[in-house]
Amino acid sequence: MDLKEKRLQGEEVFAGRLLRVQRDVVRLPDGSEGVREVIRHPGAVAIVALFEDGRVLLERQFRYPHGREFIELPAGKLEPGEPHAETARRELLEETGYVASHWKRIALICPSIAYTDEKIELYLARGLEKREAKLDDGEFLEILTPTFGDAVAMIRDGRITDAKTVAGLLWVHAFRP
């Protein structure tokens, strides 16, 4: 069975600094038409940064859409033309002040497949060395360094609910790369 939907026409209904919103008319598999509203995202990376002593590098940030603080992996969006691995290195340094000597791409996640094309490349970083953070203007966060086991427990008890963080931590927990 062919489940593909074919775009018939569309329009951009919003263009912001980070996101664009597109409304498309599509032909559905049964021949009828439907409307799809899609948030276009430039893509992002998230980093599971592990210390030699078993701790993991996390951040606590206020996230406006939910009106509360979240515990998250270091992460950030791609700049135009920037390779994913370079974005991961840049974001880890800018947000946390750490650099890593060993990097490994571990997974790709699509956090909200029903309404956005956002893709997040997950990286594992080891061999951490402290330098100086260079937060973006208007960026405020607190660095946390729980043990990896405590971070997994934070998922279990609901203190960590951010999708990229849950996926990254559980991927490393399950596959132990």
Side-chain angles (χ1 to χ4, degrees):
M1 171 191 252
D2 183 9
L3 299 175
K4 187 169 171 96
E5 298 177 359
K6 181 182 176 197
R7 182 179 183 269
L8 302 175
Q9 64 184 26
E11 64 178 326
E12 186 172 81
V13 295
F14 173 78
R17 290 185 338 184
L18 171 63
L19 306 172
R20 296 180 299 114
V21 179
Q22 187 169 327
R23 183 181 303 121
D24 291 343
V25 176
V26 299
R27 174 84 54 220
L28 300 172
D30 68 359
S32 63
E33 291 183 4
V35 175
R36 299 290 180 254
E37 296 172 341
V38 180
I39 298 171
R40 301 289 183 195
H41 187 282
V45 299
I47 304 106
V48 181
L50 299 177
F51 293 96
E52 298 302 319
D53 65 2
R55 292 174 299 130
V56 63
L57 187 60
L58 298 174
E59 302 172 349
R60 187 173 62 87
Q61 292 189 74
F62 181 84
R63 293 301 192 173
Y64 183 80
H66 288 269
R68 70 177 185 90
E69 295 172 356
F70 283 82
I71 297 173
E72 307 173 51
L73 293 173
K77 73 174 183 65
L78 298 172
E79 295 296 334
E82 184 177 43
H84 289 81
E86 190 175 315
T87 302
R89 285 177 175 81
R90 176 179 54 78
E91 288 291 343
L92 183 65
L93 178 61
E94 284 179 5
E95 291 187 354
T96 71
Y98 282 90
V99 295
S101 59
H102 302 291
W103 287 88
K104 181 179 180 181
R105 181 198 173 273
I106 56 173
L108 171 71
I109 62 170
C110 301
S112 297
I113 60 175
Y115 61 84
T116 181
D117 64 356
E118 180 181 14
K119 295 178 201 125
I120 302 173
E121 295 268 354
L122 298 176
Y123 284 85
L124 178 64
R126 296 180 191 256
L128 300 179
E129 182 181 315
K130 184 67 171 156
R131 301 274 172 84
E132 185 178 336
K134 300 172 184 159
L135 293 172
D136 292 335
D137 289 339
E139 189 172 34
F140 304 93
L141 56 87
E142 176 187 5
I143 300 297
L144 308 173
T145 59
T147 66
F148 192 83
D150 285 346
V152 171
M154 287 186 229
I155 295 170
R156 189 178 309 111
D157 69 20
R159 286 180 285 163
I160 293 178
T161 59
D162 170 61
K164 69 184 177 300
T165 303
V166 170
L169 292 174
L170 291 182
W171 196 99
V172 169
H173 180 69
F175 301 115
R176 307 226 187 255

